[in-house]
Amino acid sequence: LPPVSLVNLVSSVFSFGFFIGGCLTLYPIQIIFRLIPFGQKKLKLVYHHMIRIFAWLLLHSMINVRKKFFNKERLDFSKPSIIIANHQSFIDVIVMMSLHPKVLILTNDWVYNSPFFGAQIRYLGFLPGSQGVENNIEKLRPWVEDGYTIVVFPEGTRSKDKKIGRFHKGAFLLAQEFNLDICPIILHGYNDTMRKN
């Protein structure tokens, strides 16, 4: 986005390169993990740890953008919960993955079916929100019982104008079904760094 400067250009190219390199590095690891016929629960948790570290490094590789986190210490991952967040940018997903290894995200179809990173998303247990939350309840149940927090973007899509859109009921249905607390997160400014489209 304007103003275009050499620092912004180099930083953006580096960050995109880091993202592509990370995906290409983690992809074969996921394939190897899938082929191991035992201990899948532990292997998936290890892969969640790897993705969390990669997401954190990617987020902090964007040196041309200042980042501030407020009240992060209030997030409680000692028990499962539902995190709801507004959705401004693709970077939102990276931020959510960087929070904790035991995070599961309801994504949209293009992320879930991506030829580039879709297999990794599916191995992590992420589910497409387009199937409807009520159809995902039984798929989510073992993850919640295993202590995973579910992240939902209740608007259902990224905002084009930075305004928070109408919330769909899915996140609240999950909270009721699993008797989980809801933790709201507000993401601000991500639309200014990477807009939809």
Coordinates of all heavy atoms in Angstrom, one line a residue, residues 105-179:
I105 N -9.0 -23.7 14.0 CA -9.6 -22.6 13.4 C -10.7 -23.1 12.4 O -10.4 -24.0 11.6 CB -8.6 -21.7 12.7 CG1 -7.6 -21.2 13.7 CG2 -9.3 -20.5 12.0 CD1 -6.5 -20.3 13.0
L106 N -11.9 -22.5 12.4 CA -12.8 -22.7 11.4 C -12.5 -21.8 10.2 O -12.5 -20.6 10.4 CB -14.3 -22.5 11.9 CG -14.8 -23.5 12.9 CD1 -16.2 -23.2 13.3 CD2 -14.7 -24.9 12.5
T107 N -12.2 -22.3 9.1 CA -11.7 -21.5 8.0 C -12.7 -21.5 6.9 O -13.8 -22.1 6.9 CB -10.4 -22.2 7.4 OG1 -10.7 -23.4 6.8 CG2 -9.3 -22.4 8.4
N108 N -12.4 -20.7 5.8 CA -13.2 -20.7 4.7 C -12.8 -21.8 3.7 O -11.7 -22.4 3.9 CB -13.3 -19.3 4.0 CG -12.0 -18.8 3.5 OD1 -11.0 -19.6 3.3 ND2 -11.9 -17.5 3.2
D109 N -13.5 -22.0 2.6 CA -13.2 -23.1 1.7 C -11.9 -22.9 0.9 O -11.2 -23.9 0.7 CB -14.4 -23.2 0.7 CG -15.6 -23.8 1.3 OD1 -15.5 -24.4 2.4 OD2 -16.7 -23.7 0.8
W110 N -11.6 -21.7 0.5 CA -10.4 -21.6 -0.3 C -9.1 -21.9 0.6 O -8.1 -22.4 0.0 CB -10.3 -20.2 -1.0 CG -9.8 -19.1 -0.2 CD1 -10.5 -18.1 0.5 CD2 -8.4 -18.7 0.0 NE1 -9.7 -17.2 1.1 CE2 -8.4 -17.5 0.8 CE3 -7.2 -19.2 -0.4 CZ2 -7.2 -16.9 1.2 CZ3 -6.0 -18.6 0.0 CH2 -6.1 -17.4 0.8
V111 N -9.1 -21.6 1.9 CA -8.0 -21.9 2.7 C -8.0 -23.5 2.9 O -6.9 -24.1 2.8 CB -8.1 -21.2 4.1 CG1 -7.1 -21.7 5.1 CG2 -7.9 -19.7 3.9
Y112 N -9.1 -24.0 3.2 CA -9.2 -25.5 3.5 C -8.8 -26.3 2.3 O -8.2 -27.4 2.4 CB -10.7 -25.8 3.9 CG -10.9 -27.2 4.4 CD1 -10.5 -27.5 5.7 CD2 -11.4 -28.2 3.6 CE1 -10.7 -28.8 6.2 CE2 -11.6 -29.5 4.1 CZ -11.2 -29.8 5.4 OH -11.4 -31.1 5.8
N113 N -9.2 -25.8 1.1 CA -8.9 -26.6 -0.2 C -7.7 -26.1 -0.9 O -7.5 -26.6 -2.1 CB -10.1 -26.5 -1.1 CG -11.3 -27.2 -0.4 OD1 -11.2 -28.3 0.1 ND2 -12.5 -26.5 -0.5
S114 N -6.9 -25.2 -0.4 CA -5.8 -24.7 -1.0 C -4.8 -25.8 -1.4 O -4.4 -26.6 -0.6 CB -5.0 -23.7 -0.2 OG -3.8 -23.4 -0.7
P115 N -4.3 -25.8 -2.7 CA -3.3 -26.8 -3.1 C -2.0 -26.6 -2.4 O -1.1 -27.4 -2.4 CB -3.3 -26.7 -4.6 CG -3.7 -25.3 -4.9 CD -4.7 -24.9 -3.8
F116 N -1.8 -25.3 -2.0 CA -0.5 -25.0 -1.4 C -0.4 -25.3 0.1 O 0.6 -25.9 0.5 CB -0.3 -23.4 -1.6 CG 1.1 -23.0 -1.4 CD1 2.2 -23.5 -2.1 CD2 1.4 -22.1 -0.4 CE1 3.5 -23.1 -1.9 CE2 2.7 -21.6 -0.2 CZ 3.8 -22.2 -1.0
F117 N -1.4 -25.0 0.9 CA -1.3 -25.3 2.3 C -2.6 -26.0 2.9 O -2.7 -26.2 4.1 CB -1.0 -24.1 3.1 CG -1.8 -22.9 2.8 CD1 -3.1 -22.8 3.2 CD2 -1.3 -21.9 2.0 CE1 -3.9 -21.7 2.9 CE2 -2.1 -20.7 1.7 CZ -3.4 -20.7 2.1
G118 N -3.5 -26.4 2.0 CA -4.7 -27.0 2.4 C -4.5 -28.4 3.2 O -5.2 -28.6 4.2
A119 N -3.6 -29.2 2.7 CA -3.3 -30.5 3.3 C -2.8 -30.3 4.8 O -3.1 -31.0 5.7 CB -2.3 -31.3 2.5
Q120 N -2.0 -29.2 5.0 CA -1.5 -28.9 6.3 C -2.6 -28.5 7.2 O -2.7 -28.9 8.4 CB -0.4 -27.9 6.3 CG 0.8 -28.3 5.4 CD 1.7 -27.2 5.1 OE1 2.2 -26.5 6.0 NE2 2.1 -27.0 3.9
I121 N -3.5 -27.6 6.7 CA -4.7 -27.1 7.5 C -5.6 -28.3 7.9 O -6.0 -28.4 9.0 CB -5.4 -26.1 6.6 CG1 -4.6 -24.9 6.4 CG2 -6.8 -25.8 7.2 CD1 -4.2 -24.1 7.6
R122 N -5.8 -29.2 6.9 CA -6.6 -30.4 7.2 C -6.0 -31.3 8.3 O -6.7 -31.8 9.1 CB -7.0 -31.1 5.9 CG -7.9 -30.4 5.0 CD -8.4 -31.2 3.8 NE -7.3 -31.6 2.9 CZ -6.8 -30.9 1.9 NH1 -7.4 -29.7 1.7 NH2 -5.9 -31.3 1.1
Y123 N -4.7 -31.5 8.2 CA -4.0 -32.3 9.1 C -4.1 -31.7 10.5 O -4.2 -32.5 11.5 CB -2.5 -32.5 8.8 CG -1.8 -33.5 9.7 CD1 -2.1 -34.8 9.7 CD2 -0.8 -33.0 10.5 CE1 -1.4 -35.7 10.5 CE2 -0.1 -33.9 11.4 CZ -0.4 -35.2 11.4 OH 0.2 -36.1 12.2
L124 N -4.1 -30.4 10.6 CA -4.2 -29.7 11.9 C -5.6 -29.8 12.5 O -5.8 -29.5 13.7 CB -3.8 -28.2 11.8 CG -2.3 -27.9 11.5 CD1 -2.2 -26.5 11.1 CD2 -1.5 -28.2 12.7
G125 N -6.5 -30.3 11.7 CA -7.9 -30.5 12.3 C -8.8 -29.3 12.0 O -9.9 -29.2 12.5
F126 N -8.3 -28.2 11.3 CA -9.1 -27.1 11.0 C -10.3 -27.6 10.1 O -10.1 -28.5 9.3 CB -8.3 -26.1 10.2 CG -7.2 -25.4 11.0 CD1 -6.8 -25.9 12.2 CD2 -6.6 -24.2 10.5 CE1 -5.8 -25.2 12.9 CE2 -5.6 -23.6 11.2 CZ -5.2 -24.1 12.4
L127 N -11.4 -26.9 10.2 CA -12.6 -27.3 9.5 C -13.2 -26.1 8.7 O -13.0 -25.0 9.1 CB -13.6 -27.9 10.4 CG -13.3 -29.2 11.1 CD1 -14.2 -29.5 12.3 CD2 -13.3 -30.3 10.1
P128 N -13.8 -26.4 7.6 CA -14.4 -25.3 6.8 C -15.7 -24.9 7.4 O -16.6 -25.7 7.7 CB -14.7 -25.9 5.4 CG -14.8 -27.4 5.7 CD -13.9 -27.7 6.9
G129 N -15.8 -23.6 7.7 CA -17.1 -23.1 8.2 C -18.3 -23.2 7.3 O -19.4 -23.1 7.8
S130 N -18.0 -23.3 6.0 CA -19.1 -23.4 5.1 C -20.0 -24.6 5.3 O -21.2 -24.7 4.8 CB -18.6 -23.4 3.6 OG -17.9 -24.5 3.4
Q131 N -19.5 -25.6 5.9 CA -20.3 -26.9 6.2 C -21.3 -26.6 7.2 O -22.2 -27.5 7.4 CB -19.4 -28.0 6.6 CG -18.4 -28.5 5.5 CD -17.6 -29.7 6.0 OE1 -17.6 -30.1 7.2 NE2 -16.8 -30.3 5.1
G132 N -21.3 -25.5 7.9 CA -22.2 -25.2 8.9 C -21.7 -25.7 10.3 O -21.3 -26.9 10.3
V133 N -21.8 -24.9 11.3 CA -21.2 -25.3 12.6 C -22.0 -26.5 13.1 O -21.3 -27.4 13.7 CB -21.4 -24.1 13.6 CG1 -21.1 -24.6 15.0 CG2 -20.4 -23.0 13.2
E134 N -23.3 -26.6 12.9 CA -24.0 -27.8 13.4 C -23.5 -29.1 12.8 O -23.6 -30.1 13.4 CB -25.5 -27.6 13.2 CG -26.0 -27.4 11.7 CD -25.7 -25.9 11.2 OE1 -25.5 -25.0 12.0 OE2 -25.8 -25.7 10.0
N135 N -23.0 -29.0 11.6 CA -22.4 -30.2 10.9 C -21.0 -30.6 11.4 O -20.5 -31.6 11.1 CB -22.5 -30.1 9.4 CG -23.9 -30.0 8.9 OD1 -24.8 -30.7 9.4 ND2 -24.1 -29.2 7.9
N136 N -20.4 -29.6 12.0 CA -19.0 -29.8 12.5 C -18.9 -30.2 14.0 O -17.8 -30.4 14.5 CB -18.2 -28.6 12.2 CG -17.8 -28.4 10.8 OD1 -17.5 -29.4 10.1 ND2 -17.7 -27.2 10.3
I137 N -20.0 -30.1 14.7 CA -20.0 -30.3 16.2 C -19.3 -31.6 16.5 O -18.4 -31.7 17.4 CB -21.4 -30.2 16.8 CG1 -21.9 -28.7 16.7 CG2 -21.5 -30.8 18.2 CD1 -23.3 -28.5 17.2
E138 N -19.7 -32.7 15.9 CA -19.2 -34.0 16.3 C -17.7 -34.2 15.9 O -16.9 -34.9 16.5 CB -20.0 -35.2 15.7 CG -21.4 -35.3 16.4 CD -21.3 -35.3 17.9 OE1 -20.5 -36.0 18.5 OE2 -22.1 -34.5 18.5
K139 N -17.3 -33.5 14.8 CA -15.9 -33.5 14.4 C -15.0 -32.7 15.4 O -13.9 -33.0 15.6 CB -15.8 -32.9 13.0 CG -16.4 -33.7 11.9 CD -16.3 -33.0 10.6 CE -17.1 -33.8 9.5 NZ -17.2 -33.0 8.3
L140 N -15.6 -31.6 16.0 CA -14.9 -30.8 16.9 C -14.9 -31.4 18.3 O -13.9 -31.1 19.1 CB -15.6 -29.4 17.0 CG -15.4 -28.5 15.7 CD1 -16.3 -27.3 15.8 CD2 -14.0 -28.1 15.6
R141 N -15.8 -32.2 18.7 CA -15.9 -32.7 20.0 C -14.7 -33.3 20.6 O -14.2 -33.0 21.6 CB -17.1 -33.7 20.1 CG -17.5 -34.0 21.6 CD -18.7 -34.9 21.7 NE -19.9 -34.3 21.1 CZ -20.7 -33.4 21.6 NH1 -20.4 -32.9 22.8 NH2 -21.7 -32.9 21.0
P142 N -14.0 -34.3 19.8 CA -12.8 -34.9 20.4 C -11.6 -33.9 20.6 O -10.9 -34.0 21.5 CB -12.4 -35.9 19.3 CG -13.3 -35.8 18.2 CD -14.4 -34.9 18.6
W143 N -11.6 -32.8 19.7 CA -10.6 -31.8 19.9 C -10.8 -31.0 21.1 O -9.9 -30.7 21.9 CB -10.6 -30.9 18.6 CG -10.1 -31.5 17.4 CD1 -10.9 -32.1 16.4 CD2 -8.7 -31.7 17.0 NE1 -10.1 -32.6 15.4 CE2 -8.8 -32.4 15.7 CE3 -7.5 -31.4 17.5 CZ2 -7.6 -32.7 15.0 CZ3 -6.4 -31.7 16.8 CH2 -6.4 -32.4 15.6
V144 N -12.1 -30.6 21.4 CA -12.4 -29.8 22.6 C -12.2 -30.7 23.8 O -11.6 -30.2 24.8 CB -13.9 -29.4 22.5 CG1 -14.4 -28.8 23.9 CG2 -14.1 -28.4 21.4
E145 N -12.5 -32.0 23.8 CA -12.2 -32.9 24.9 C -10.8 -33.0 25.2 O -10.3 -33.3 26.3 CB -12.9 -34.2 24.6 CG -14.4 -34.2 24.7 CD -15.1 -35.5 24.3 OE1 -14.3 -36.4 23.8 OE2 -16.3 -35.6 24.4
D146 N -10.0 -32.8 24.1 CA -8.5 -32.8 24.2 C -7.9 -31.5 24.6 O -6.7 -31.4 24.7 CB -7.9 -33.3 22.9 CG -6.7 -34.2 23.1 OD1 -6.5 -34.8 24.2 OD2 -5.8 -34.2 22.2
G147 N -8.7 -30.5 24.9 CA -8.2 -29.2 25.4 C -8.0 -28.1 24.4 O -7.4 -27.1 24.7
Y148 N -8.4 -28.3 23.1 CA -8.2 -27.4 22.1 C -9.2 -26.2 22.2 O -10.4 -26.5 22.4 CB -8.3 -28.0 20.7 CG -7.0 -28.7 20.4 CD1 -6.7 -30.0 20.9 CD2 -6.0 -28.2 19.5 CE1 -5.5 -30.7 20.6 CE2 -4.9 -28.8 19.2 CZ -4.6 -30.1 19.7 OH -3.5 -30.8 19.4
T149 N -8.8 -25.0 21.9 CA -9.6 -23.8 21.8 C -10.0 -23.7 20.3 O -9.2 -23.9 19.4 CB -8.9 -22.6 22.3 OG1 -8.8 -22.7 23.7 CG2 -9.6 -21.3 21.9
I150 N -11.3 -23.3 20.1 CA -11.7 -23.1 18.7 C -11.8 -21.6 18.4 O -12.4 -20.9 19.2 CB -13.1 -23.8 18.6 CG1 -13.1 -25.2 18.9 CG2 -13.7 -23.6 17.1 CD1 -14.5 -25.9 19.1
V151 N -11.2 -21.3 17.3 CA -11.3 -19.9 16.8 C -12.3 -19.8 15.7 O -12.3 -20.6 14.7 CB -9.9 -19.4 16.3 CG1 -10.0 -18.0 15.7 CG2 -8.8 -19.5 17.4
V152 N -13.2 -18.8 15.8 CA -14.2 -18.6 14.8 C -14.2 -17.1 14.4 O -14.1 -16.2 15.3 CB -15.6 -18.9 15.4 CG1 -16.7 -18.7 14.3 CG2 -15.7 -20.4 15.8
F153 N -14.3 -16.8 13.1 CA -14.5 -15.5 12.7 C -15.9 -15.4 12.4 O -16.4 -15.7 11.3 CB -13.6 -15.2 11.4 CG -12.1 -15.3 11.7 CD1 -11.4 -16.4 11.2 CD2 -11.5 -14.3 12.3 CE1 -10.1 -16.5 11.4 CE2 -10.1 -14.4 12.6 CZ -9.4 -15.5 12.1
P154 N -16.7 -14.9 13.3 CA -18.2 -14.9 13.2 C -18.8 -14.1 12.1 O -20.0 -14.3 11.7 CB -18.7 -14.5 14.6 CG -17.6 -13.8 15.2 CD -16.3 -14.3 14.6
E155 N -18.0 -13.2 11.5 CA -18.5 -12.5 10.3 C -18.6 -13.4 9.1 O -19.3 -13.1 8.2 CB -17.6 -11.3 10.0 CG -17.6 -10.2 11.1 CD -16.4 -9.3 10.9 OE1 -15.3 -9.6 11.3 OE2 -16.6 -8.2 10.4
G156 N -17.8 -14.4 9.1 CA -17.8 -15.4 8.0 C -16.9 -15.0 6.8 O -16.6 -15.9 6.0
T157 N -16.5 -13.8 6.7 CA -15.6 -13.4 5.6 C -14.8 -12.1 6.1 O -15.2 -11.5 7.1 CB -16.5 -13.0 4.4 OG1 -15.6 -12.8 3.3 CG2 -17.4 -11.8 4.6
R158 N -13.8 -11.8 5.3 CA -13.0 -10.6 5.6 C -13.7 -9.4 5.2 O -14.4 -9.3 4.2 CB -11.7 -10.7 4.9 CG -10.7 -11.7 5.4 CD -9.5 -11.9 4.5 NE -10.0 -12.7 3.3 CZ -9.2 -12.8 2.2 NH1 -8.0 -12.3 2.2 NH2 -9.7 -13.5 1.2
S159 N -13.6 -8.4 6.1 CA -14.2 -7.1 5.9 C -13.4 -6.3 4.8 O -12.2 -6.3 4.8 CB -14.2 -6.3 7.2 OG -14.7 -4.9 6.9
K160 N -14.2 -5.6 3.9 CA -13.5 -4.8 2.9 C -13.3 -3.4 3.3 O -12.4 -2.7 2.8 CB -14.3 -4.8 1.6 CG -14.3 -6.2 0.9 CD -15.1 -6.1 -0.4 CE -15.0 -7.4 -1.2 NZ -15.8 -7.4 -2.4
D161 N -14.1 -2.9 4.3 CA -14.1 -1.5 4.7 C -13.7 -1.3 6.1 O -13.9 -0.3 6.7 CB -15.4 -0.9 4.4 CG -16.6 -1.6 5.2 OD1 -16.3 -2.5 6.0 OD2 -17.7 -1.2 5.0
K162 N -13.1 -2.3 6.8 CA -12.6 -2.3 8.2 C -13.8 -2.3 9.2 O -13.5 -2.5 10.4 CB -11.8 -1.1 8.4 CG -10.6 -0.9 7.6 CD -9.8 0.3 8.0 CE -8.7 0.7 7.0 NZ -8.0 1.9 7.3
K163 N -15.0 -2.2 8.8 CA -16.1 -2.3 9.7 C -16.4 -3.7 10.1 O -16.3 -4.6 9.3 CB -17.3 -1.6 9.1 CG -17.2 -0.1 8.9 CD -18.4 0.5 8.3 CE -18.1 2.0 8.0 NZ -19.2 2.6 7.3
I164 N -16.8 -3.9 11.3 CA -17.2 -5.2 11.8 C -18.6 -5.5 11.3 O -19.5 -4.8 11.5 CB -17.1 -5.3 13.3 CG1 -15.7 -5.1 13.8 CG2 -17.7 -6.7 13.8 CD1 -15.5 -5.2 15.3
G165 N -18.7 -6.7 10.6 CA -20.0 -7.0 10.0 C -20.9 -7.8 10.9 O -20.5 -8.0 12.1
R166 N -22.0 -8.2 10.4 CA -23.0 -9.0 11.2 C -22.4 -10.3 11.6 O -21.8 -11.0 10.8 CB -24.2 -9.2 10.3 CG -25.3 -10.0 10.9 CD -26.4 -10.2 9.8 NE -27.3 -11.3 10.1 CZ -27.0 -12.6 10.0 NH1 -25.8 -13.0 9.6 NH2 -27.8 -13.5 10.2
F167 N -22.6 -10.7 12.8 CA -22.1 -12.0 13.3 C -23.1 -13.1 13.0 O -24.3 -12.9 13.1 CB -21.9 -12.0 14.8 CG -20.6 -11.3 15.3 CD1 -19.9 -10.5 14.4 CD2 -20.2 -11.4 16.6 CE1 -18.7 -9.9 14.8 CE2 -19.0 -10.8 17.0 CZ -18.2 -10.1 16.1
H168 N -22.6 -14.2 12.5 CA -23.4 -15.4 12.4 C -23.5 -16.1 13.7 O -22.6 -15.9 14.6 CB -22.9 -16.3 11.3 CG -22.9 -15.7 9.9 ND1 -24.0 -15.6 9.1 CD2 -21.9 -15.0 9.3 CE1 -23.7 -15.0 8.0 NE2 -22.4 -14.6 8.1
K169 N -24.4 -17.0 13.9 CA -24.6 -17.6 15.2 C -23.7 -18.8 15.6 O -23.7 -19.3 16.7 CB -26.1 -18.1 15.3 CG -26.4 -19.2 14.3 CD -27.9 -19.6 14.4 CE -28.2 -20.7 13.4 NZ -29.6 -21.1 13.5
G170 N -22.9 -19.3 14.6 CA -22.1 -20.5 14.8 C -21.3 -20.6 16.0 O -21.3 -21.6 16.8
A171 N -20.5 -19.5 16.3 CA -19.6 -19.5 17.5 C -20.4 -19.6 18.8 O -20.0 -20.3 19.7 CB -18.8 -18.2 17.5
F172 N -21.6 -19.0 18.8 CA -22.4 -19.0 20.0 C -23.0 -20.4 20.2 O -23.2 -20.9 21.3 CB -23.3 -17.9 20.0 CG -22.7 -16.6 19.6 CD1 -22.7 -16.0 18.4 CD2 -21.9 -15.9 20.6 CE1 -22.0 -14.9 18.0 CE2 -21.2 -14.7 20.3 CZ -21.3 -14.2 19.0
L173 N -23.4 -21.0 19.1 CA -23.9 -22.4 19.1 C -22.9 -23.3 19.7 O -23.2 -24.2 20.5 CB -24.4 -22.8 17.7 CG -25.0 -24.1 17.6 CD1 -26.3 -24.2 18.3 CD2 -25.2 -24.5 16.1
L174 N -21.6 -23.2 19.2 CA -20.6 -24.0 19.7 C -20.3 -23.8 21.2 O -20.2 -24.8 22.0 CB -19.3 -23.8 19.0 CG -19.2 -24.2 17.5 CD1 -17.8 -23.8 16.9 CD2 -19.3 -25.8 17.5
A175 N -20.3 -22.6 21.7 CA -20.2 -22.3 23.1 C -21.3 -22.9 23.9 O -21.0 -23.5 25.0 CB -20.1 -20.8 23.3
Q176 N -22.5 -22.9 23.4 CA -23.6 -23.5 24.1 C -23.5 -25.0 24.1 O -23.7 -25.7 25.1 CB -24.9 -23.0 23.5 CG -26.1 -23.6 24.2 CD -27.4 -23.1 23.5 OE1 -27.4 -22.5 22.4 NE2 -28.5 -23.3 24.1
E177 N -23.2 -25.6 23.0 CA -23.1 -27.0 22.8 C -22.0 -27.6 23.7 O -22.2 -28.6 24.4 CB -22.8 -27.4 21.4 CG -22.6 -28.9 21.1 CD -23.9 -29.7 21.3 OE1 -25.0 -29.2 21.1 OE2 -23.7 -30.9 21.6
F178 N -20.8 -27.0 23.8 CA -19.7 -27.5 24.5 C -19.6 -26.9 25.9 O -18.6 -27.2 26.7 CB -18.4 -27.3 23.8 CG -18.3 -28.1 22.5 CD1 -18.1 -27.4 21.3 CD2 -18.6 -29.5 22.4 CE1 -18.0 -28.1 20.1 CE2 -18.5 -30.2 21.2 CZ -18.2 -29.5 20.1
N179 N -20.5 -25.9 26.2 CA -20.4 -25.2 27.5 C -19.1 -24.6 27.7 O -18.4 -24.7 28.8 CB -20.7 -26.2 28.7 CG -21.0 -25.5 30.0 OD1 -21.5 -24.3 29.9 ND2 -20.8 -26.1 31.1

